[in-house]
Amino acid sequence: MTEAEPMGKPSPFSSIEVWAWTGVLLISFVSALFYPTSLGTSARTCLPFLLAATVLGYMVGSGLPSNVKKVFHPIICCALSADLTAFAFGYFSKSGLDPVLGYYLTNASTNPGAGDILMGFLGSVILSFSFSMFKQRKLVKRHAAEIFTSVIISTVFSLYSTALVGRLVQLEPSLTVSILPRCITVALALSIVSLFDGANPSLTAAVVVVTGLVGANFVQATLDKLRFQDPIARGIATASSAHGLGTAALSAKEPEALPFCAIAYALNGIFGSLLCSIPAVRQSLIAIIG
């Protein structure tokens, strides 16, 4: 085995950054209460404090002790912060929680919410993986066979084990079909379940997110307990089971594993889509589900 090249870890957030986002949150929150459409629409008016709550939640979560972060990952802290802020605004403005959550992600470029702004960075985040992959290119090339083989096996195992467990616990077939691609990133998971009749895309998206959160919280502790220390094994195992959220959680502490997370993250979705596009594979999964 060739040792992975050490890579720098991100620096912690400064107190200036924390206080700056706190100021944005408080000022925009109070302003939105008194002037609900001061920025033109409710979604735009809620954008600053929802975005600040999301960022602050991640900053606070990142500063927690390492033993706490093993079970309470910054991503969960980030989501809780945004939800609590939305709940508080819905309570004080008498509008309720659901409308405020609706302002978070509008999917409209002319009326963006905080989630739309964050989603706009997704492309550059994925592109940034290529820098770490390029830095570890010799290692990736040397272990290409192991990487491709393990990702293919993990994809097949994920699909068929989910179908089998659903059958064993007597889950409704439509529910089992909906959660088949639980270890594949949301965009590709939704396209996969569209190939099956009776699937619920909303359930698919929810289960994929929950799978990622579970992985983000427990993947490092689990790999440590199993004594897997090699960054290739840790990266592939994480991305193949907990996709993007797991990748973000592991690479924050172990940047040398990021190239292999990125490769497995992409290949897992590609292989899963290819497999489920084969009629024989779909029929075998449906037969197992019952």
Side-chain angles (χ1 to χ4, degrees):
M1 295 291 291
T2 303
E3 290 293 327
E5 187 176 342
M7 301 182 71
K9 295 183 179 180
S11 58
F13 296 105
S14 67
S15 57
I16 296 177
E17 291 172 315
V18 174
W19 282 111
W21 280 106
T22 302
V24 172
L25 171 61
L26 293 176
I27 293 171
S28 58
F29 186 93
V30 174
S31 175
L33 282 177
F34 290 100
Y35 306 101
T37 57
S38 59
L39 297 180
T41 65
S42 297
R44 289 180 186 172
T45 307
C46 292
L47 188 157
F49 71 79
L50 289 176
L51 180 62
T54 305
V55 175
L56 266 177
Y58 189 78
M59 287 179 170
V60 172
S62 299
L64 295 174
S66 57
N67 58 333
V68 176
K69 285 194 284 189
K70 287 183 178 180
V71 294
F72 192 70
H73 192 268
I75 293 175
I76 292 182
C77 189
C78 170
L80 284 176
S81 174
D83 284 340
L84 288 173
T85 304
F87 176 80
F89 185 81
Y91 176 79
F92 288 115
S93 66
K94 303 293 191 296
S95 61
L97 175 62
D98 289 346
V100 182
L101 291 179
Y103 301 148
Y104 193 91
L105 185 67
T106 63
N107 292 316
S109 58
T110 56
N111 186 34
D116 298 284
I117 299 298
L118 293 171
M119 289 291 285
F121 288 101
L122 185 59
S124 57
V125 169
I126 300 299
L127 182 62
S128 70
F129 290 169
S130 63
F131 292 99
S132 57
M133 291 171 66
F134 181 77
K135 195 169 185 179
Q136 303 281 16
R137 62 191 180 282
K138 292 181 181 178
L139 198 60
V140 171
K141 185 176 181 180
R142 173 168 179 157
H143 297 291
E146 296 96 318
I147 292 171
F148 276 81
T149 303
S150 58
V151 172
I152 292 172
I153 292 173
S154 68
T155 304
V156 173
F157 177 80
S158 171
L159 290 170
Y160 281 91
S161 63
T162 303
L164 181 60
V165 171
R167 176 73 174 268
L168 292 176
V169 300
Q170 297 182 340
L171 199 63
E172 287 186 19
S174 61
L175 296 180
T176 305
V177 167
S178 300
I179 66 173
L180 278 178
R182 60 187 175 80
C183 294
I184 296 172
T185 188
V186 173
L188 292 175
L190 293 177
S191 67
I192 288 173
V193 294
S194 67
L195 300 172
F196 295 87
D197 294 329
N200 184 344
S202 298
L203 177 62
T204 303
V207 170
V208 169
V209 172
V210 170
T211 300
L213 288 174
V214 171
N217 272 280
F218 301 110
V219 65
Q220 287 176 296
T222 302
L223 292 172
D224 290 341
K225 289 286 185 183
L226 296 174
R227 298 181 181 178
F228 288 116
Q229 302 300 327
D230 183 68
I232 300 177
R234 292 174 73 88
I236 293 174
T238 300
S240 297
S241 58
H243 41 80
L245 291 176
T247 295
L250 185 68
S251 60
K253 290 185 176 180
E254 304 175 28
E256 62 275 5
L258 178 58
F260 311 103
C261 284
I263 293 171
Y265 172 77
L267 292 180
N268 193 37
I270 293 170
F271 289 142
S273 300
L274 290 174
L275 282 171
C276 291
S277 65
I278 301 173
V281 173
R282 291 202 302 274
Q283 291 302 321
S284 64
L285 287 169
I286 293 172
I288 293 173
I289 292 170

